[in-house]
Amino acid sequence: MLLRHITIDCADPYALATFWSTVTGWPVSDEDAPGDDEVLVEAPAPVPGLLFIRVPEAKSVKNRVHLDWKPTERTRDEEVARILDLGATVHEDHRRPDGRGWVTLLDPEGNEFCVERGAA
């Protein structure tokens, strides 16, 4: 079996896909445009893409599944600052004085995700 996509329900698929495209550096599919009900952010193989699908209801509870990201080109703190500048907000800060820990952020539609400490 192959994991093809991670699907995220949202109100504005193109806007949220554009945010995540900027966060990850992965492109929005050439087949997708503003106003589409489904928009794909294409990940490099073999990583599954991020598929954003329009749903009528707003997010109302904590995610049961979320993404954990490990920076490869920046420190965790630099990555958190960069993503905050792109429109995310801090949900919970679990950084420790010894440099360990992670930060839980919310994307522009309130979906939780974490940025862990990377090698840098």
Side-chain angles (χ1 to χ4, degrees):
M1 189 167 7
L2 174 68
L3 180 57
R4 184 169 176 214
H5 300 130
I6 297 170
T7 302
I8 300 168
D9 293 348
C10 58
D12 187 340
Y14 194 83
L16 199 54
T18 300
F19 168 82
W20 280 104
S21 175
T22 305
V23 168
T24 62
W26 305 340
V28 172
S29 172
D30 291 338
E31 298 177 12
D32 296 323
D36 285 354
D37 289 334
E38 298 179 3
V39 178
L40 176 64
V41 173
E42 298 175 328
V47 177
L50 300 175
L51 181 62
F52 298 88
I53 297 184
R54 184 182 318 275
V55 296
E57 59 276 353
K59 182 179 181 297
S60 60
V61 298
K62 183 181 184 315
N63 293 5
R64 294 294 299 259
V65 174
H66 69 265
L67 304 175
D68 289 341
W69 296 96
K70 181 178 178 179
T72 57
E73 299 176 10
R74 287 172 277 279
T75 67
R76 175 202 53 219
D77 295 346
E78 290 168 340
E79 191 67 15
V80 167
R82 184 183 76 86
I83 296 170
L84 291 173
D85 286 345
L86 296 174
T89 56
V90 174
H91 178 60
E92 296 174 339
D93 193 331
H94 299 277
R95 289 178 277 197
R96 299 180 191 166
D98 66 1
R100 298 167 81 189
W102 68 95
V103 180
T104 304
L105 301 174
L106 301 175
D107 73 14
E109 289 205 17
N111 300 298
E112 298 94 358
F113 64 99
C114 294
V115 178
E116 300 177 348
R117 188 172 82 167

PDB file of all heavy atoms in Angstrom, residues 10 19 40 49 69 72 78 80-81 86 91 102 104 116:
ATOM      1  N   CYS A  10     -10.949  22.183   4.650  1.00  0.00           N
ATOM      2  CA  CYS A  10     -10.758  23.611   4.868  1.00  0.00           C
ATOM      3  C   CYS A  10     -11.850  24.419   4.159  1.00  0.00           C
ATOM      4  O   CYS A  10     -12.628  23.879   3.381  1.00  0.00           O
ATOM      5  CB  CYS A  10      -9.379  24.046   4.378  1.00  0.00           C
ATOM      6  SG  CYS A  10      -9.058  23.717   2.645  1.00  0.00           S
ATOM      7  N   PHE A  19      -0.447  28.812   1.372  1.00  0.00           N
ATOM      8  CA  PHE A  19       0.285  28.938   2.635  1.00  0.00           C
ATOM      9  C   PHE A  19       1.236  27.758   2.811  1.00  0.00           C
ATOM     10  O   PHE A  19       2.430  27.933   3.053  1.00  0.00           O
ATOM     11  CB  PHE A  19      -0.699  29.014   3.817  1.00  0.00           C
ATOM     12  CG  PHE A  19      -0.044  28.847   5.163  1.00  0.00           C
ATOM     13  CD1 PHE A  19       0.582  29.917   5.780  1.00  0.00           C
ATOM     14  CD2 PHE A  19      -0.062  27.617   5.810  1.00  0.00           C
ATOM     15  CE1 PHE A  19       1.197  29.761   7.029  1.00  0.00           C
ATOM     16  CE2 PHE A  19       0.544  27.454   7.053  1.00  0.00           C
ATOM     17  CZ  PHE A  19       1.176  28.524   7.660  1.00  0.00           C
ATOM     18  N   LEU A  40      -3.981  20.561  -4.642  1.00  0.00           N
ATOM     19  CA  LEU A  40      -2.895  19.686  -4.222  1.00  0.00           C
ATOM     20  C   LEU A  40      -1.577  20.443  -4.135  1.00  0.00           C
ATOM     21  O   LEU A  40      -1.203  21.168  -5.061  1.00  0.00           O
ATOM     22  CB  LEU A  40      -2.737  18.529  -5.227  1.00  0.00           C
ATOM     23  CG  LEU A  40      -1.585  17.566  -4.978  1.00  0.00           C
ATOM     24  CD1 LEU A  40      -1.780  16.803  -3.661  1.00  0.00           C
ATOM     25  CD2 LEU A  40      -1.457  16.596  -6.148  1.00  0.00           C
ATOM     26  N   GLY A  49       1.620  13.958  -0.969  1.00  0.00           N
ATOM     27  CA  GLY A  49       1.233  15.348  -1.155  1.00  0.00           C
ATOM     28  C   GLY A  49       0.235  15.792  -0.093  1.00  0.00           C
ATOM     29  O   GLY A  49      -0.325  14.973   0.644  1.00  0.00           O
ATOM     30  N   TRP A  69       6.838  18.656  11.806  1.00  0.00           N
ATOM     31  CA  TRP A  69       7.866  19.048  10.848  1.00  0.00           C
ATOM     32  C   TRP A  69       9.203  19.184  11.558  1.00  0.00           C
ATOM     33  O   TRP A  69       9.275  19.701  12.673  1.00  0.00           O
ATOM     34  CB  TRP A  69       7.500  20.384  10.199  1.00  0.00           C
ATOM     35  CG  TRP A  69       6.248  20.302   9.393  1.00  0.00           C
ATOM     36  CD1 TRP A  69       4.998  20.630   9.802  1.00  0.00           C
ATOM     37  CD2 TRP A  69       6.122  19.859   8.047  1.00  0.00           C
ATOM     38  NE1 TRP A  69       4.099  20.424   8.784  1.00  0.00           N
ATOM     39  CE2 TRP A  69       4.764  19.948   7.696  1.00  0.00           C
ATOM     40  CE3 TRP A  69       7.034  19.400   7.094  1.00  0.00           C
ATOM     41  CZ2 TRP A  69       4.288  19.602   6.433  1.00  0.00           C
ATOM     42  CZ3 TRP A  69       6.562  19.047   5.844  1.00  0.00           C
ATOM     43  CH2 TRP A  69       5.206  19.145   5.520  1.00  0.00           C
ATOM     44  N   THR A  72      15.191  21.359   8.102  1.00  0.00           N
ATOM     45  CA  THR A  72      16.437  20.827   7.544  1.00  0.00           C
ATOM     46  C   THR A  72      17.423  21.932   7.177  1.00  0.00           C
ATOM     47  O   THR A  72      18.615  21.680   7.081  1.00  0.00           O
ATOM     48  CB  THR A  72      16.161  19.973   6.296  1.00  0.00           C
ATOM     49  OG1 THR A  72      15.457  20.777   5.346  1.00  0.00           O
ATOM     50  CG2 THR A  72      15.344  18.743   6.649  1.00  0.00           C
ATOM     51  N   GLU A  78      14.314  29.475  14.156  1.00  0.00           N
ATOM     52  CA  GLU A  78      14.274  30.241  12.898  1.00  0.00           C
ATOM     53  C   GLU A  78      13.079  29.814  12.045  1.00  0.00           C
ATOM     54  O   GLU A  78      12.413  30.654  11.436  1.00  0.00           O
ATOM     55  CB  GLU A  78      15.567  30.025  12.100  1.00  0.00           C
ATOM     56  CG  GLU A  78      16.786  30.659  12.730  1.00  0.00           C
ATOM     57  CD  GLU A  78      18.094  30.208  12.107  1.00  0.00           C
ATOM     58  OE1 GLU A  78      18.137  29.135  11.449  1.00  0.00           O
ATOM     59  OE2 GLU A  78      19.089  30.937  12.289  1.00  0.00           O
ATOM     60  N   VAL A  80      10.231  28.438  13.131  1.00  0.00           N
ATOM     61  CA  VAL A  80       9.004  28.935  13.773  1.00  0.00           C
ATOM     62  C   VAL A  80       8.803  30.410  13.429  1.00  0.00           C
ATOM     63  O   VAL A  80       7.696  30.817  13.037  1.00  0.00           O
ATOM     64  CB  VAL A  80       9.048  28.711  15.300  1.00  0.00           C
ATOM     65  CG1 VAL A  80       7.945  29.493  16.002  1.00  0.00           C
ATOM     66  CG2 VAL A  80       8.936  27.221  15.621  1.00  0.00           C
ATOM     67  N   ALA A  81       9.831  31.210  13.533  1.00  0.00           N
ATOM     68  CA  ALA A  81       9.715  32.642  13.216  1.00  0.00           C
ATOM     69  C   ALA A  81       9.307  32.843  11.759  1.00  0.00           C
ATOM     70  O   ALA A  81       8.449  33.682  11.456  1.00  0.00           O
ATOM     71  CB  ALA A  81      11.032  33.357  13.499  1.00  0.00           C
ATOM     72  N   LEU A  86       4.583  33.993   7.920  1.00  0.00           N
ATOM     73  CA  LEU A  86       3.726  33.590   6.798  1.00  0.00           C
ATOM     74  C   LEU A  86       2.246  33.559   7.168  1.00  0.00           C
ATOM     75  O   LEU A  86       1.406  33.381   6.303  1.00  0.00           O
ATOM     76  CB  LEU A  86       4.155  32.209   6.278  1.00  0.00           C
ATOM     77  CG  LEU A  86       5.550  32.139   5.676  1.00  0.00           C
ATOM     78  CD1 LEU A  86       5.910  30.692   5.346  1.00  0.00           C
ATOM     79  CD2 LEU A  86       5.653  33.026   4.445  1.00  0.00           C
ATOM     80  N   HIS A  91       0.222  28.081  19.125  1.00  0.00           N
ATOM     81  CA  HIS A  91      -0.836  27.456  19.917  1.00  0.00           C
ATOM     82  C   HIS A  91      -0.280  27.048  21.281  1.00  0.00           C
ATOM     83  O   HIS A  91      -0.849  27.393  22.313  1.00  0.00           O
ATOM     84  CB  HIS A  91      -1.407  26.247  19.170  1.00  0.00           C
ATOM     85  CG  HIS A  91      -2.466  25.514  19.900  1.00  0.00           C
ATOM     86  ND1 HIS A  91      -3.645  26.099  20.282  1.00  0.00           N
ATOM     87  CD2 HIS A  91      -2.521  24.235  20.344  1.00  0.00           C
ATOM     88  CE1 HIS A  91      -4.401  25.211  20.916  1.00  0.00           C
ATOM     89  NE2 HIS A  91      -3.732  24.078  20.972  1.00  0.00           N
ATOM     90  N   TRP A 102       9.458  21.401  21.253  1.00  0.00           N
ATOM     91  CA  TRP A 102       8.807  21.739  19.995  1.00  0.00           C
ATOM     92  C   TRP A 102       7.830  22.869  20.208  1.00  0.00           C
ATOM     93  O   TRP A 102       7.536  23.253  21.331  1.00  0.00           O
ATOM     94  CB  TRP A 102       8.084  20.522  19.421  1.00  0.00           C
ATOM     95  CG  TRP A 102       6.894  20.104  20.236  1.00  0.00           C
ATOM     96  CD1 TRP A 102       5.586  20.464  20.022  1.00  0.00           C
ATOM     97  CD2 TRP A 102       6.884  19.297  21.414  1.00  0.00           C
ATOM     98  NE1 TRP A 102       4.772  19.921  20.999  1.00  0.00           N
ATOM     99  CE2 TRP A 102       5.555  19.189  21.862  1.00  0.00           C
ATOM    100  CE3 TRP A 102       7.873  18.645  22.147  1.00  0.00           C
ATOM    101  CZ2 TRP A 102       5.181  18.474  22.978  1.00  0.00           C
ATOM    102  CZ3 TRP A 102       7.500  17.919  23.271  1.00  0.00           C
ATOM    103  CH2 TRP A 102       6.174  17.837  23.679  1.00  0.00           C
ATOM    104  N   THR A 104       3.905  24.035  18.919  1.00  0.00           N
ATOM    105  CA  THR A 104       2.678  23.717  18.203  1.00  0.00           C
ATOM    106  C   THR A 104       2.113  25.018  17.645  1.00  0.00           C
ATOM    107  O   THR A 104       1.879  25.969  18.402  1.00  0.00           O
ATOM    108  CB  THR A 104       1.638  23.042  19.118  1.00  0.00           C
ATOM    109  OG1 THR A 104       2.228  21.872  19.704  1.00  0.00           O
ATOM    110  CG2 THR A 104       0.392  22.656  18.343  1.00  0.00           C
ATOM    111  N   GLU A 116       9.521  20.694  15.234  1.00  0.00           N
ATOM    112  CA  GLU A 116      10.441  20.080  16.177  1.00  0.00           C
ATOM    113  C   GLU A 116      11.839  20.653  16.014  1.00  0.00           C
ATOM    114  O   GLU A 116      12.106  21.380  15.071  1.00  0.00           O
ATOM    115  CB  GLU A 116      10.481  18.573  15.934  1.00  0.00           C
ATOM    116  CG  GLU A 116       9.132  17.901  16.115  1.00  0.00           C
ATOM    117  CD  GLU A 116       9.176  16.423  15.793  1.00  0.00           C
ATOM    118  OE1 GLU A 116      10.178  15.940  15.208  1.00  0.00           O
ATOM    119  OE2 GLU A 116       8.201  15.739  16.120  1.00  0.00           O
TER     120      GLU A 116
END
